[in-house]
Amino acid sequence: STGLRRGEISRLRWAHLDIGERVFRIPAKLTKNRQAATVPFSRSLRDDLAVLALARDSDDPNNKIFPVMPTVRHFNKDVWRAGMRKVDQFGGRVTFHSLRSTFCTLLLKNDRTDSGMVSKLMRHSDPRLTLKVYYSVREAEKREAIDAAMEW
């Protein structure tokens, strides 16, 4: 529930976490575009991180939040255990990056977020990238949108 990239997640340190403000403050050297980022997160992730913080071995703020990241093989096993197919009926492949794509699509489908806000949350320099690459719309959803718009 952050839209962070896999590499960014793997480099997160406890020092980057501001649990009270519900944000990660990520230094420029750790982001893809080499710009410092303040990344907000959900209440549910805050609660999970609070539990994780209590269970950690050390109070060293330079320790990684997630010292072990799943390998592609383990991720694929988790996808299989969840009853998901590696390739969906539309030909889309399920990868770790799919989590970022899903985050973006869910935000865009929320009536309270516009594409500009979503582009900022995804940390894209060009909002067109957000809509072109990350937003997934199925044909049935297009028909539903037309039907909803025509009900006046």
Side-chain angles (χ1 to χ4, degrees):
S1 58
T2 63
L4 285 170
R5 296 170 178 93
R6 185 180 195 280
E8 294 168 336
I9 294 169
S10 72
R11 293 186 294 270
L12 282 175
R13 310 281 177 181
W14 289 104
H16 303 145
L17 173 65
D18 182 336
I19 205 155
E21 291 292 319
R22 288 189 326 173
V23 296
F24 291 112
R25 299 186 199 287
I26 306 173
K29 66 182 180 179
L30 300 183
T31 66
K32 179 181 176 183
N33 63 6
R34 299 293 183 231
Q35 294 180 2
T38 300
V39 180
F41 53 83
S42 68
R43 286 184 290 273
S44 63
L45 182 54
R46 176 204 53 209
D47 296 344
D48 291 342
L49 288 167
V51 170
L52 194 59
L54 290 173
R56 65 185 168 158
D57 295 334
S58 166
D59 288 337
D60 184 349
N62 292 315
N63 283 349
K64 290 183 175 184
I65 295 176
F66 305 104
V68 178
M69 291 293 291
T71 63
V72 171
R73 185 170 154 247
H74 283 112
F75 181 81
N76 290 341
K77 280 185 177 181
D78 290 340
V79 167
W80 180 79
R81 281 189 206 118
M84 299 167 59
R85 294 187 295 185
K86 185 67 178 147
V87 179
D88 69 19
Q89 66 269 31
F90 305 105
R93 300 192 64 77
V94 177
T95 65
F96 195 91
H97 194 76
S98 301
L99 301 172
R100 183 169 161 82
S101 299
T102 300
F103 175 75
C104 182
T105 298
L106 292 173
L107 286 171
L108 284 166
K109 289 182 178 182
N110 182 333
D111 292 335
R112 292 175 282 178
T113 52
D114 60 41
S115 59
M117 170 66 76
V118 175
S119 184
K120 287 186 186 335
L121 289 167
M122 296 294 290
R123 292 173 292 122
H124 289 153
S125 56
D126 185 345
R128 291 175 295 188
L129 176 68
T130 305
L131 295 174
K132 182 178 180 184
V133 175
Y134 287 89
Y135 187 43
S136 176
V137 179
R138 306 291 183 227
E139 292 303 315
E141 292 171 307
K142 293 177 186 176
R143 290 189 297 271
E144 290 169 14
I146 292 170
D147 290 343
M150 296 300 129
E151 291 178 6
W152 26 278

